[in-house]
Amino acid sequence: MYLCLTLTTDVRYCAGEIRKRMASPAPIRESPLQPDDWIQAAFSRLSAQGVESVRIEILARDLGSTKGSFYWHFKDREDLLSRMLLQWEDEEMRWLQAARELNSGAAARWAHFVERSANPDRARLEVSFRAWARRDERIASHIAAIEEKRRAHIVSVLRDVGFTPSSAERWSEVALLVYLGWMDKATRDPGFQLTGRGLGEFLSDLILAASAPANH
């Protein structure tokens, strides 16, 4: 049974069919594509094969469209890449803003952060962004800014738990490093994924250790 998605153009796609389209040329679509269709297809390619695979002709084949359709919405490949970065950054910023405004306790806010951070699709996309950042300083600077916002969010949760300001700052850096290490290993090591040790468990162990009286 295929998992299906409905795009903005009301064209239905199945996961199995998308895999077939990535392997062979697809028939030309009759319905017009929207910019977000191209961006989402580019995110899929970035997650699966890195930024080198985000090519106009490849995306057109994945979407069953033409390169001409692409140029209705984007100046060129660099324009697409810039808009991918801006969309990813905007989504992260909006999530962090919403997380700050949650009217819930520290435990619920922490669980919310862990749940989003451990999402497999999101983790794969971010790992691909970070690989891209190693060769593009512009990407690296945007990721660094988001990373600092995340750390500030962790600090606020730890302060609500009862950590002192200096202790919250110190342990937020450690928590962020644990998150980054888990994300990298979980997306490239199938054996690690089978251990059953999720991000939440690692971070819970960390917070319990950090909460010990000797560490305050």
Side-chain angles (χ1 to χ4, degrees):
M1 180 177 182
Y2 290 138
L3 173 63
C4 297
L5 303 173
T6 301
L7 301 181
T8 56
T9 50
D10 291 328
V11 178
R12 292 178 62 79
Y13 280 91
C14 295
E17 289 301 320
I18 291 176
R19 287 193 291 271
K20 292 178 182 178
R21 289 176 184 277
M22 291 177 69
S24 59
I28 302 302
R29 288 173 53 138
E30 295 181 0
S31 300
L33 291 166
Q34 300 301 314
D36 193 57
D37 296 322
W38 290 96
I39 291 173
Q40 294 306 316
F43 280 150
S44 295
R45 277 288 172 182
L46 177 64
S47 292
Q49 298 179 347
V51 69
E52 298 86 355
S53 68
V54 182
R55 299 286 176 183
I56 300 169
E57 60 274 15
I58 294 176
L59 299 178
R61 185 187 68 197
D62 291 346
L63 291 167
S65 187
T66 64
K67 292 172 65 174
S69 173
F70 172 88
Y71 288 109
W72 274 105
H73 305 293
F74 305 92
K75 294 178 183 178
D76 49 28
R77 179 175 181 265
E78 287 304 313
D79 185 25
L80 170 64
L81 294 177
S82 294
R83 288 162 73 173
M84 288 171 64
L85 173 61
L86 289 175
Q87 180 165 316
W88 175 79
E89 184 177 40
D90 181 63
E91 289 176 355
E92 291 299 312
M93 291 295 289
R94 284 191 288 109
W95 182 86
L96 285 165
Q97 180 63 35
R100 283 195 296 269
E101 296 172 356
L102 280 176
N103 293 320
S104 55
R109 291 170 60 214
W110 183 252
H112 191 51
F113 171 76
V114 171
E115 180 181 13
R116 177 175 171 81
S117 300
N119 178 279
D121 292 335
R122 183 186 166 284
R124 280 191 292 272
L125 180 60
E126 180 157 340
V127 166
S128 297
F129 263 106
R130 289 178 179 279
W132 181 8
R134 295 189 188 101
R135 40 194 299 189
D136 189 324
E137 292 185 359
R138 179 191 55 160
I139 307 299
S141 66
H142 283 263
I143 289 178
I146 292 293
E147 194 170 284
E148 182 56 28
K149 295 287 186 182
R150 287 182 189 152
R151 194 186 68 78
H153 177 67
I154 295 172
V155 168
S156 71
V157 174
L158 295 181
R159 291 287 290 119
D160 287 347
V161 170
F163 281 63
T164 64
S166 61
S167 184
E169 289 285 344
R170 184 172 69 254
W171 284 104
S172 70
E173 294 181 1
V174 179
L176 190 60
L177 288 173
V178 169
Y179 157 64
L180 294 174
W182 177 89
M183 184 172 59
D184 175 68
K185 191 167 181 61
T187 54
R188 64 179 172 80
D189 184 353
F192 177 73
Q193 298 177 37
L194 297 175
T195 64
R197 291 268 289 170
L199 175 61
E201 189 173 351
F202 283 105
L203 287 175
S204 293
D205 288 348
L206 172 68
I207 298 305
L208 286 173
S211 300
N215 291 318
H216 283 275

